[in-house]
Amino acid sequence: EPEVTQTPSHQVTQMGQEVILRCVPISNHLYFYWYRQILGQKVEFLVSFYNNEISEKSEIFDDQFSVERPDGSNFTLKIRSTKLEDSAMYFCASSEAGIWFFGPGTRLTVL
Amino acid sequence: AQSVTQLDSQVPVFEEAPVELRCNYSSSVSVYLFWYVQYPNQGLQLLLKYLSGSTLVKGINGFEAEFNKSQTSFHLRKPSVHISDTAEYFCAVSPHPGRRALTFGSGTRLQVQP
């Protein structure tokens, strides 16, 4: 069964450093998403991406965040200068036929 | 904008007992409704969805949910739970299935005790 994959599973970084989280959506899906979940809190929407551009973003998705689909398979989330409060689980998702499929997540720890 | 309220942050229940996890939503437009489950240290897995048609929807692992438009609710039920159902359960809504962002509730931790 096709699935969304994410790498790395765990990323530790120093405050102020740049990180890139990677995702491989399901191959025939057209809509891609990033969500995050701060420990013990709800899952929050960050951004959606369609046809090589951002289609929707939340207020969380400020200038320090960016997304890219550098090739036909990868979908990345870049955080330019990480802050302590960026520590969270980041989930990638892709959708088709009204259903979102989530990846296993990347746990980002900012020290 | 949409919002989702899961009134119960934790629900302890004994094995083989029935359970209901409550979800209420608020929206100015029609929405589509979902329940996701998150097992410890894992990602989000779709349990069931309501897009249209019958208001009673059945999902995986014996779960079902009923969409009640007048009460703006989408409560999740299972007649007999197992230890393996211990997990976090999230209700979510979207104004358009598959194209717009999902809005999640805060989650309900189901703790099944032997």
Side-chain angles (χ1 to χ4, degrees), chain A residues 31 33 35 37 40-45 48 55-56 89 91 95-105 107, chain B residues 4 34 36 38 41-46 49 51 88 90 94 96-107:
Chain A
Y31 292 86
Y33 309 81
Y35 290 80
Q37 183 182 30
Q41 297 186 25
K42 68 166 69 175
V43 179
E44 301 173 292
F45 166 71
S48 60
S55 55
E56 190 177 3
M89 182 74 90
F91 292 106
S95 69
E96 190 241 358
I99 303 173
W100 286 262
F101 295 84
F102 285 83
R107 179 165 297 284
Chain B
V4 179
F34 305 82
Y36 281 85
Q38 184 180 32
N41 301 313
Q42 294 189 28
L44 296 161
Q45 181 181 3
L46 180 68
K49 65 185 184 296
L51 302 182
E88 191 88 19
F90 293 95
S94 173
H96 192 298
R99 295 185 184 179
R100 297 291 304 278
L102 275 170
T103 300
F104 284 87
S106 54

Side-chain angles (χ1 to χ4, degrees), chain B residues 1-109:
Chain B
Q2 295 78 44
S3 67
V4 179
T5 301
Q6 292 182 246
L7 292 169
D8 307 302
S9 59
Q10 292 189 64
V11 173
V13 62
F14 288 106
E15 194 173 19
E16 297 183 6
V19 70
E20 178 180 84
L21 306 184
R22 296 180 292 171
C23 172
N24 289 88
Y25 69 92
S26 173
S27 177
S28 57
V29 299
S30 295
V31 293
Y32 303 87
L33 300 133
F34 305 82
W35 276 98
Y36 281 85
V37 60
Q38 184 180 32
Y39 297 104
N41 301 313
Q42 294 189 28
L44 296 161
Q45 181 181 3
L46 180 68
L47 266 182
L48 48 78
K49 65 185 184 296
Y50 173 77
L51 302 182
S52 65
S54 173
T55 56
L56 181 64
V57 292
K58 295 188 183 297
I60 62 172
N61 301 339
F63 284 94
E64 63 180 32
E66 184 155 21
F67 169 53
N68 188 319
K69 189 174 182 179
S70 62
Q71 296 187 6
T72 60
S73 67
F74 191 54
H75 300 331
L76 181 71
R77 302 184 183 100
K78 186 169 182 178
S80 176
V81 295
H82 302 126
I83 296 286
S84 59
D85 292 323
T86 295
E88 191 88 19
Y89 291 80
F90 293 95
C91 182
V93 304
S94 173
H96 192 298
R99 295 185 184 179
R100 297 291 304 278
L102 275 170
T103 300
F104 284 87
S106 54
T108 297
R109 173 143 187 85

Side-chain angles (χ1 to χ4, degrees), chain A residues 11-19 64 79-87 108-111:
Chain A
Q11 173 92 47
V12 181
T13 189
Q14 295 291 326
M15 190 170 57
Q17 294 296 305
E18 174 184 287
V19 294
Q64 71 161 342
I79 310 175
R80 288 191 184 81
S81 177
T82 50
K83 305 171 191 166
L84 294 176
E85 54 265 35
D86 293 328
S87 293
L108 176 66
T109 302
V110 182
L111 302 176

